């Protein structure tokens, strides 16, 4: 989406014409649903600017921009090489605290561009202009000062605004970035906020119940779970249980969050004593065994966070625990759909790789490479080449919980698949190695692959059948 002249879109014409005009100027892929009150506020803003400066018609703003996958929207953004000016539009009176919170949040999202940010709100019904100070206060703003900023001689950004904002920049992990979490240097997406609101409302009303939210890796489930725990722990003591966690990634959080206790699922034993906690929150609940789950269900409220694993063969996973959670009486179930951390193309490929589509799949995966090695020497050379290009590589077993690389996620990831893997008659990827059902090699591989953020390289070692299937998948067959 490109910047537009707000002077042009505030000339008198009907809404239908304005929508066509806006789409033509911005290059937006869809017709923007223009709100009458916002349009009137923008007209009022333009009139005020014209009273204090010349050439308002030359000003260019990104209008009604929403960061992809996050649901974070800005009314007006002027982005220059040396600065950013953000103007939010209001028609009716709103409190200074509401304005302050919005502008602080906006500044957080804009800070990734590394430029000075000037944050304003214009309330048209009061003809009032306010700004956010460097000390996070709301003060009355001066029109001449705003106009001076807007006339800054540095160049306007002329590209697509979506190229400046990558959603994964804003998704932190409380486990790998505990200090950022403790300093509250994050914001939830609109979907996460809605789920949090519904769960907290019901818990505060009844102090009971079962709750579950699930989604693909990278949808921000752990961050949401921790944020809910932080809110609940303001008045009561709560317990977070980590399933399948190999290390002690939560040590810093344990030291700083006195009202939150951290357990491993290995600590769930009969008899179990959780009576001291007002709520139990379970991370990676898809790894929880059916036996340990039954012990937890003696307590309420319980909140489960789980990865979606529908694309993995049921023969590779013991789904009794997941099935039991889904059928708990009066359980409130949510599904996170906004994939933040990984790009959609890589995510689609991984899901289709785990369970081959019956029809045509997405054609073209520019961020996926699949190559073949006839022996281990060839595989080693291919991996060496990928490592020289910045790809991360780790030998088997592929365990997403084994954080030996020092980072939870990788921009570029290279993986070797040997002849233990095959596709069954239903198109599911399987392994002929036998292990613990809940931690099969296919399951480990799935979660390991989902750590990649940008590009994935698969080196297929002495396995022509899997190689052929993946080549067809890349061709959309």
């Amino acid at each position: 989406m490109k910047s537009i002249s707000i002077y042009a879109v505030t000339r008198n014409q009907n809404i239908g014409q304005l929508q066509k005009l806006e789409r033509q100027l911005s290059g937006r892929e869809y017709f923007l649903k223009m709100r009458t009150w916002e349009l009137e506020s923008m007209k009022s803003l333009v009139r005020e600017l014209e009273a204090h400066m010349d050439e308002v018609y030359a000003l260019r703003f990104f209008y009604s921009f929403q960061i992809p996958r996050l649901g974070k929207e800005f009314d007006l953004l002027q982005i220059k090489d040396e600065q950013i000016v953000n103007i939010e539009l209001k028609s009716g009176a709103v409190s200074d605290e509401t304005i302050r919170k919005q502008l602080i949040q906006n500044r957080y999202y804009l800070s990734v561009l590394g430029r000075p940010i000037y944050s304003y709100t214009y309330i048209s019904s009061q003809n009032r202009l306010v700004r956010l100070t460097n000390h996070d206060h709301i003060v009355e703003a001066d029109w001449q000062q705003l106009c001076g900023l807007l006339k800054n001689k540095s160049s306007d950004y002329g590209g697509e605004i979506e190229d400046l904002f990558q959603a994964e920049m804003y998704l932190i992990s409380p486990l790998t970035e505990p200090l950022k979490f403790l300093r509250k240097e994050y914001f939830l997406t609109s979907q996460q906020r809605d789920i949090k609101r519904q769960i907290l409302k019901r818990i505060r009303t009844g102090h009971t119940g079962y709750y579950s939210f699930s989604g693909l890796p990278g949808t921000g489930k752990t961050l949401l779970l921790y944020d809910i725990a932080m809110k609940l722990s303001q008045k009561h003591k709560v317990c977070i249980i980590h399933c399948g966690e190999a290390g002690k990634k939560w040590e810093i959080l344990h030291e700083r969050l006195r009202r939150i206790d951290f357990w491993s699922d290995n600590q769930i034993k009969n008899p179990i004593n959780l009576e001291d906690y007002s709520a139990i929150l379970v991370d990676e609940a898809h790894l929880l065994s059916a036996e340990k789950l039954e012990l937890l269900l003696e307590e309420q409220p319980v909140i489960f966070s789980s990865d979606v694993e529908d694309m993995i063969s049921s023969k590779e996973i013991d789904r009794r625990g997941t099935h039991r959670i889904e059928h708990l009486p009066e359980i409130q179930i949510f599904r996170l759909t906004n994939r933040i951390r990984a790009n959609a193309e890589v995510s689609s490929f991984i899901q289709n790789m785990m369970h081959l589509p019956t029809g045509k799949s997405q054609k073209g995966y520019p961020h996926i490479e699949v190559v073949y090695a006839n022996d281990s020497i060839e595989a080693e050379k291919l991996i060496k080449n990928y490592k020289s290009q910045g790809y991360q590589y780790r030998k088997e077993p592929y365990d997403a919980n084994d954080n030996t690389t020092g980072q939870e996620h990788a921009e570029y990831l290279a993986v070797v698949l040997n002849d233990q893997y095959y596709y069954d008659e239903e198109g599911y990827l399987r392994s002929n190695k036998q292990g613990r059902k809940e931690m099969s090699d296919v399951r480990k591989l799935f979660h390991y692959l989902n750590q990649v953020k940008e590009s994935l390289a698969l080196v297929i070692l002495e396995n022509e059948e899997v190689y052929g299937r993946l080549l067809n998948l890349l061709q959309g067959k």
Side-chain angles (χ1 to χ4, degrees), residues 5-132:
S5 164
I6 60 171
Y7 180 88
V9 297
T10 53
R11 300 308 90 198
N12 286 332
Q13 50 196 297
N14 64 53
I15 288 290
Q17 291 172 323
L18 281 174
Q19 289 177 327
K20 293 175 183 177
L21 172 66
E22 193 282 331
R23 186 180 182 188
Q24 173 213 146
L25 296 177
S26 68
R28 202 185 298 266
E29 293 181 353
Y30 56 90
F31 287 108
L32 179 66
K33 187 176 181 180
M34 303 182 79
R35 295 164 288 194
T36 301
W37 69 263
E38 187 174 78
L39 184 60
E40 291 303 317
S41 293
M42 192 155 55
K43 287 181 178 179
S44 181
L45 172 68
V46 169
R47 286 194 294 269
E48 282 297 325
L49 291 176
E50 286 186 300
H52 293 88
M53 67 178 285
D54 297 325
E55 299 181 351
V56 173
Y57 55 83
L59 296 177
R60 303 192 67 80
F61 291 87
F62 292 97
Y63 169 49
S64 193
F65 166 65
Q66 190 173 97
I67 299 178
R69 294 179 282 166
L70 289 184
K72 176 59 194 170
E73 186 176 352
F74 304 88
D75 288 342
L76 294 172
L77 286 176
Q78 185 198 61
I79 301 179
K80 289 181 173 286
D81 291 342
E82 297 178 0
Q83 67 181 33
I84 299 171
V85 177
N86 171 216
I87 304 175
E88 292 300 311
L89 302 172
K90 309 291 180 188
S91 59
V94 291
S95 70
D96 283 5
E97 181 60 19
T98 299
I99 293 172
R100 189 181 80 90
K101 286 181 178 179
Q102 182 183 32
L103 293 182
I104 288 174
Q105 186 183 83
N106 288 7
R107 187 177 62 192
Y108 163 77
Y109 283 103
L110 295 170
S111 64
V112 298
L113 301 185
R115 305 170 205 185
I117 301 163
Y118 301 95
S119 306
Y120 289 83
T121 294
Y122 176 61
I123 305 100
S124 58
S125 62
Q126 302 172 326
N127 197 25
R128 183 186 181 209
L129 183 70
V130 298
R131 67 180 177 88
L132 180 70

Side-chain angles (χ1 to χ4, degrees), residues 80-297:
K80 289 181 173 286
D81 291 342
E82 297 178 0
Q83 67 181 33
I84 299 171
V85 177
N86 171 216
I87 304 175
E88 292 300 311
L89 302 172
K90 309 291 180 188
S91 59
V94 291
S95 70
D96 283 5
E97 181 60 19
T98 299
I99 293 172
R100 189 181 80 90
K101 286 181 178 179
Q102 182 183 32
L103 293 182
I104 288 174
Q105 186 183 83
N106 288 7
R107 187 177 62 192
Y108 163 77
Y109 283 103
L110 295 170
S111 64
V112 298
L113 301 185
R115 305 170 205 185
I117 301 163
Y118 301 95
S119 306
Y120 289 83
T121 294
Y122 176 61
I123 305 100
S124 58
S125 62
Q126 302 172 326
N127 197 25
R128 183 186 181 209
L129 183 70
V130 298
R131 67 180 177 88
L132 180 70
T133 70
N134 291 333
H135 299 291
D136 295 346
H137 300 304
I138 293 298
V139 298
E140 301 300 318
D142 179 77
W143 283 99
Q144 293 292 354
Q145 182 185 43
L146 171 60
C147 291
L149 290 170
L150 295 176
K151 289 190 291 184
N152 184 297
K153 295 299 183 182
S154 66
S155 299
D156 285 295
Y157 172 69
E160 302 279 344
I161 189 172
E162 290 84 358
D163 295 339
L164 297 177
F165 296 90
Q166 301 298 319
E168 55 267 22
M169 295 176 180
Y170 305 101
L171 179 64
I172 72 160
S173 168
L175 299 180
T176 58
E177 300 170 281
L179 296 180
K180 279 190 174 183
F181 177 77
L182 291 167
R183 293 194 296 263
K184 297 186 178 180
E185 294 179 2
Y186 67 91
F187 289 98
L188 301 181
T189 67
S190 56
Q191 186 184 35
Q192 288 171 320
R193 292 195 302 271
D194 183 58
I195 292 172
K196 172 185 172 181
R197 179 187 58 79
Q198 293 189 57
I199 290 176
L200 290 178
K201 180 180 179 181
R202 188 170 164 188
I203 287 178
R204 286 166 177 163
T205 303
H207 305 286
T208 187
Y210 299 115
Y211 311 87
S212 171
F213 50 84
S214 61
L216 289 168
T219 46
K221 299 180 298 297
T222 297
L223 178 60
L224 174 57
L225 190 77
Y226 268 80
D227 187 77
I228 292 173
M230 284 276 280
K231 194 70 175 178
L232 291 171
S233 69
Q234 289 178 356
K235 295 183 179 180
H236 305 283
K237 197 171 183 179
V238 300
C239 178
I240 293 182
I241 297 174
H242 291 267
C243 301
E245 191 63 53
K248 293 184 177 180
K249 300 179 189 176
W250 60 85
E251 276 186 348
I252 294 177
L253 298 174
H254 200 171
E255 293 170 2
R256 299 277 291 274
L257 301 174
R258 297 299 182 183
R259 287 181 175 270
I260 301 178
D261 283 350
F262 297 87
W263 285 29
S264 162
D265 60 332
N266 293 329
Q267 294 174 257
I268 304 174
K269 298 177 181 177
N270 193 9
I272 189 171
N273 182 15
L274 295 169
E275 294 178 357
D276 294 337
Y277 304 111
S278 64
I280 311 300
L281 299 92
V282 186
D283 194 22
E284 307 283 355
H286 54 281
L287 299 177
L288 193 64
S289 70
E291 293 73 22
K292 291 178 179 179
L293 173 60
E294 289 304 324
L295 293 176
L296 289 182
L297 295 181

